[in-house]
Amino acid sequence: MIIGVRSNFGQLINPNYIKLSNYTQNDQGILLQQLIAGDESGFAGLYDLYNRPIYNFIIRFVHSVPLAEDLTQEVFIKIWENRLCLQGVKSFKAYLYTVARNHTLNSLKVVFRSEAAIGEVINSFIDTRSAVEEDILHKEYVEFLKKTMDSLPERTRQIFKLCREQEKTYDEVAKSLNISRNAVKNHMVHSMKLLSSAIKKEFGISLTLFMIILEGIR
């Protein structure tokens, strides 16, 4: 069930959570610093601000009220337990949505044991996403993709962009760069392996699912 926090973190006081404060987005910075310092009132304030949006976000993945409530609770427990990691976070909202998404997808993996089934869940989520969620996730994915691609050698990055972004064939790229088709293929294999590994490590999903999500939220 969704947790409420008054004096002791983690105390289950009401399954139908009632907002305890009148905090606004303008209070987020102060509340975040309180949370990092281990102040439960800071955690409670952020929980008040975000528990319902995160619940609404998760339920579009799982389509189950009890499961969405449990996952929402677990997300905020993770936030509390890993509060020291928030010191370098630029956007708490983006960080929170990322934690919620990753935790939900990891939980679904245990249930479905099938990437195809998870793909159906993601497609369902994409169809019901909100503008706020779309903006947050799109920025995160694009920034991650850019950072990963920037780590590639310049020539490999150039070939990847020509093939993937400009949709040129291997033969066309080989001709324009005056290299062999096999060289183009080798560069693409290297870039796809690196990208796939980075996505698996960061998000716990395959490159295919990542591209489905990215395409769906553009």
Side-chain angles (χ1 to χ4, degrees), residues 68-195:
E69 290 178 344
D70 286 344
L71 290 172
T72 300
Q73 174 180 334
E74 291 166 7
V75 165
F76 280 95
I77 289 174
K78 283 180 175 291
I79 293 298
W80 173 260
E81 292 178 342
N82 298 289
R83 58 191 179 277
L84 294 180
C85 297
L86 296 169
Q87 292 177 344
V89 171
K90 295 180 180 179
S91 170
F92 176 74
K93 178 187 285 189
Y95 179 87
L96 181 59
Y97 273 92
T98 299
V99 172
R101 183 216 47 223
N102 289 349
H103 182 61
T104 301
L105 290 180
N106 287 334
S107 298
L108 289 175
K109 285 179 185 177
V110 176
V111 176
F112 290 113
R113 303 286 184 184
S114 165
E115 190 161 273
I118 297 175
E120 289 299 317
V121 172
I122 290 174
N123 282 329
S124 175
F125 164 75
I126 288 172
D127 290 338
T128 59
R129 67 194 182 276
S130 72
V132 173
E133 293 158 1
E134 179 177 347
D135 184 57
I136 290 173
L137 294 179
H138 182 260
K139 286 181 179 178
E140 179 195 357
Y141 287 136
V142 169
E143 288 175 3
F144 168 80
L145 187 59
K146 182 180 184 302
K147 180 180 178 181
T148 304
M149 295 311 300
D150 285 346
S151 69
L152 291 172
E154 183 177 354
R155 176 50 67 95
T156 302
R157 184 167 63 250
Q158 179 187 22
I159 291 173
F160 181 89
K161 289 181 177 180
L162 288 171
C163 291
R164 299 291 296 189
E165 296 179 9
Q166 298 184 27
E167 299 182 345
K168 293 183 179 295
T169 66
Y170 285 4
D171 289 331
E172 289 172 335
V173 174
K175 183 177 181 180
S176 66
L177 298 180
N178 196 28
I179 59 177
S180 69
R181 185 183 188 281
N182 195 51
V184 174
K185 179 181 178 181
N186 288 339
H187 279 287
M188 285 300 295
V189 169
H190 174 67
S191 61
M192 296 300 281
K193 282 184 177 179
L194 185 146
L195 187 57

Side-chain angles (χ1 to χ4, degrees), residues 21-92:
S21 66
N22 294 313
Y23 290 117
T24 68
Q25 293 293 329
N26 293 331
D27 301 310
Q28 180 176 280
I30 295 175
L31 294 172
L32 181 58
Q33 291 307 311
Q34 291 175 339
L35 168 60
I36 293 172
D39 186 337
E40 292 174 0
S41 64
F43 174 86
L46 290 169
Y47 182 82
D48 276 350
L49 285 175
Y50 288 112
N51 83 88
R52 185 52 55 180
I54 291 300
Y55 167 82
N56 290 337
F57 176 71
I58 290 175
I59 199 168
R60 285 199 285 276
F61 278 103
V62 301
H63 302 290
S64 165
V65 170
L67 181 56
E69 290 178 344
D70 286 344
L71 290 172
T72 300
Q73 174 180 334
E74 291 166 7
V75 165
F76 280 95
I77 289 174
K78 283 180 175 291
I79 293 298
W80 173 260
E81 292 178 342
N82 298 289
R83 58 191 179 277
L84 294 180
C85 297
L86 296 169
Q87 292 177 344
V89 171
K90 295 180 180 179
S91 170
F92 176 74

